Amino acid sequence: TAMASDEPKAKKLKLSEDEKTDSNLLFGMGNPLLDICAVVDKDFLDKYSLKPNDQILAEDKHKALFDELVKKFKVEYHAGGATQNSIKIAQWMIQEPHKVGTFFGCIGKDKFGEILKQKAEEAHVDAHYYEQDQEPTGTCAACITGDNRSLVANLAAANCYKKEKHLDLEENWELVEKAKVYYIAGFFLTVSLESILKVAKHASEKNKLFCMNLSAPFICQFFKDNLMQVMPYIDVLFGNESEAAAFAKEQDFETEDIKEIAKKAQALPKVNTKRQRIVVFTQGKDETIMALSFLSGLVQEKPLDQCVRAAHYSANVIIRRAGCTFPEKPDFK
C-alpha cells in the first residue's frame, strides 16, 4: 500500500481473552446534537448561502434557518453528532455486550436533551452528559437536495463542555481509563482542546489507540493550530477527500494526490513511537485510501482488511436510511 502497513498484525489492538467483553472499551467525546433532517429546494440553500454538500457552524445569518426548516418542510428528528453517531455504529456492529461504547458531551436540560439521552440508551451506549441550563441542547440542520446534504450545526449546549466540570471528575475519568480505543471527531476541536489533549496524552502514555477525524474542511483551515497540537498523539487519522485536500493545502504539502497526502500525514511527528500512524481517507463511492481501521473492528481486535469491510458495510447500510439509524442487527460476516 502507499503507507506503512507491511505488518497488519501489529496494527491489531491487543486485548487479552478476559478483556474482550468488557464494557467501556471504546471512548468517544464530542458534540451531541439533535439532527433536524428535511428534503429542501435550491432556493432554500441559496437563501442561506449554503453549498449543496458541506458541514458548517451556524452564524447569525443562519438563526432563522432552523425555524423555517421546521415550518416549511417535512422534518425528521434523529439523535446525531459525528462522534456520538460513530460510537453508536460501533456498538451496533459489536452488539454484545452492551455499553462497549462510552460517550461524553454537553446537553441542555430540555426536551431535546431528554431525546438524546433516550436514544443513547436505546443504542446501548453508555452516555454521560454534562448537563447545564445556560444553553439549549445543540441541533444540526441537515438540508437534503438529491444525493447531497448540507449540514448546519448550532452547537449551543455542545459548546459548553468543560474539562474541569465533567472530564476531570473522578467517576468520569475512571471511564476514560477503562477504555482501550479513543475516538474524537475534529468538530470537538472548536469546543474543548484541553479535554481532547488530556485524553490524547493518556492514550499515548498507556500505548492505547487514539483516533481522530478531520471532520470538515473548515476544521483543517480555521482550527489547524488546535488540530496540530493534537496530531502528535493521533494513531489513526480519518478524513474524506475534501478534508484531505483542505488539510494538504493548509499544511503546504504541495500535492493534490490523495495517496501522497495520506503518506505525508502518516509521516507527521508522533509521540508514541510504538504505534505507526494509520491514515484513512474515504472517497465516497471510490476506493478507501489506506487500510480503514473501523472502530468496532479495532475494539474487537480484527485485522485491518476486515476493519475496512466492516466500515464499508455499515456505511452502505446507513447511507440508505434517514439520519444515523440502522436495523436491529447487522448482517455482517
Side-chain angles (χ1 to χ4, degrees):
T1 68
M3 272 123 294
S5 141
D6 301 332
E7 67 300 9
K9 289 190 175 60
K11 301 286 188 296
K12 297 196 297 183
L13 192 65
K14 293 286 173 265
L15 300 181
S16 65
E17 284 306 311
D18 59 333
E19 284 181 309
K20 275 191 185 164
T21 52
D22 278 0
S23 52
N24 308 106
L25 272 191
L26 171 64
F27 175 85
M29 179 167 61
N31 300 331
L33 305 173
L34 191 72
D35 290 343
I36 308 172
C37 311
V39 175
V40 302
D41 48 35
K42 189 177 180 304
D43 290 347
F44 185 80
L45 295 183
D46 292 345
K47 179 176 178 180
Y48 292 103
S49 345
L50 301 176
K51 295 177 191 162
N53 210 3
D54 204 7
Q55 307 89 278
I56 62 167
L57 291 178
E59 297 168 36
D60 286 343
K61 66 179 177 188
H62 300 115
K63 289 289 183 257
L65 176 154
F66 292 84
D67 290 335
E68 187 177 337
L69 192 66
V70 174
K71 285 198 182 85
K72 227 179 175 176
F73 303 96
K74 185 176 178 291
V75 300
E76 288 186 12
Y77 293 93
H78 294 283
T83 305
Q84 185 166 243
N85 283 346
S86 298
I87 301 299
K88 278 184 185 166
I89 295 163
Q91 179 66 57
W92 172 67
M93 290 288 284
I94 289 166
Q95 288 285 309
E96 298 285 337
H98 291 166
K99 297 192 173 179
V100 169
T102 313
F103 179 77
F104 287 5
C106 182
I107 59 175
K109 296 181 178 175
D110 49 25
K111 188 181 84 181
F112 284 177
E114 289 303 315
I115 293 173
L116 287 185
K117 281 199 251 185
Q118 181 198 330
K119 293 291 181 190
E121 202 168 309
E122 285 170 13
H124 308 300
V125 167
D126 194 14
H128 293 256
Y129 297 113
Y130 169 46
E131 297 179 47
Q132 49 73 60
D133 46 21
Q134 304 296 301
E135 287 281 342
T137 296
T139 49
C140 180
C143 310
I144 301 159
T145 51
D147 290 339
N148 294 313
R149 54 102 183 97
S150 198
L151 304 179
V152 185
N154 179 26
L155 297 184
N159 204 26
C160 300
Y161 190 84
K162 298 279 183 291
K163 173 177 164 290
E164 62 283 359
K165 293 262 172 69
H166 194 262
L167 185 68
D168 290 346
L169 302 183
E170 195 178 338
E171 64 273 24
N172 291 333
W173 187 249
E174 277 175 8
L175 291 169
V176 177
E177 291 183 320
K178 242 183 123 173
K180 299 280 194 298
V181 179
Y182 302 84
Y183 177 76
I184 299 176
F187 288 126
F188 202 58
L189 288 164
T190 76
V191 174
S192 183
L193 176 63
E194 58 278 15
S195 296
I196 298 173
L197 284 171
K198 182 172 182 181
V199 171
K201 286 175 180 174
H202 167 79
S204 190
E205 282 160 16
K206 303 287 189 214
N207 192 26
K208 297 172 179 181
L209 201 73
F210 184 82
C211 315
M212 195 156 208
N213 201 312
L214 293 174
S215 293
F218 83 84
I219 297 290
C220 304
Q221 292 158 339
F222 306 117
F223 293 89
K224 66 175 173 187
D225 293 348
N226 286 8
L227 174 62
M228 295 318 284
Q229 280 193 57
V230 183
M231 190 60 69
Y233 303 100
I234 300 177
D235 297 305
V236 185
L237 180 69
F238 294 101
N240 66 19
E241 68 276 45
S242 57
E243 293 149 12
F247 183 69
K249 197 173 169 200
E250 291 301 324
Q251 298 301 319
D252 298 319
F253 281 175
E254 295 180 344
T255 180
E256 289 177 13
D257 179 318
I258 193 159
K259 289 183 177 168
E260 285 304 310
I261 296 169
K263 257 189 203 168
K264 288 185 179 233
Q266 202 271 336
L268 289 167
K270 198 163 178 307
V271 173
N272 176 11
T273 51
K274 293 193 190 88
R275 292 180 185 276
Q276 284 206 298
R277 180 179 295 121
I278 302 169
V279 177
V280 180
F281 289 147
T282 60
Q283 305 186 87
K285 65 184 187 315
D286 297 325
E287 65 172 348
T288 295
I289 298 297
M290 187 50 183
L292 201 152
S293 328
F294 187 66
L295 299 176
S296 70
L298 288 168
V299 171
Q300 291 185 315
E301 188 183 346
K302 297 289 195 287
L304 285 184
D305 58 349
Q306 209 169 331
C307 294
V308 178
R309 286 181 44 243
H312 288 169
Y313 166 78
S314 53
N316 195 321
V317 170
I318 286 146
I319 203 162
R320 299 160 194 266
R321 301 166 69 98
C324 181
T325 60
F326 28 78
E328 190 191 347
K329 284 192 162 65
D331 177 27
F332 178 73
K333 300 290 182 283

